[in-house]
Amino acid sequence: IVLSFYGIRGIGSLFYLVYALQETNFENVVQLIQVTVATIVLSVLIHGSTSRWAQKRLNSIEQKRRVDQLSDQ
């Protein structure tokens, strides 16, 4: 679950941008590039600042689940 959220946003965004630019003529190419770069930068910042919290939260949930399973035995 966490891996899919923290996926390969950057390379995917660049791939689709290049693909779209090859398939169609856009009037605002510079703006499309700027939005794509902004999306990548924001993604890196958000993912970088939340990944540690998310992993700790998942570890806590997993540990609680294991304790509950042991107490049920």
Side-chain angles (χ1 to χ4, degrees):
I1 293 172
V2 171
L3 183 59
S4 64
F5 177 73
Y6 296 105
I8 53 172
R9 173 90 52 225
I11 196 70
S13 298
L14 292 175
F15 172 81
Y16 287 116
L17 175 64
V18 170
Y19 178 79
L21 293 175
Q22 290 176 350
E23 295 296 317
T24 305
N25 292 325
F26 292 98
E27 294 178 16
N28 51 355
V29 172
V30 173
Q31 187 177 13
L32 288 172
I33 293 170
Q34 290 171 340
V35 168
T36 302
V37 169
T39 300
I40 293 168
V41 169
L42 287 173
S43 175
V44 168
L45 292 174
I46 291 169
H47 291 169
S49 65
T50 60
S51 62
R52 177 178 274 175
W53 172 84
Q55 191 59 53
K56 283 183 179 180
R57 179 77 174 130
L58 286 175
N59 287 343
S60 174
I61 292 169
E62 179 65 20
Q63 186 177 17
K64 184 180 182 318
R65 186 185 66 82
R66 287 180 185 167
V67 168
D68 288 345
Q69 284 179 343
L70 289 175
S71 66
D72 288 343
Q73 293 179 353

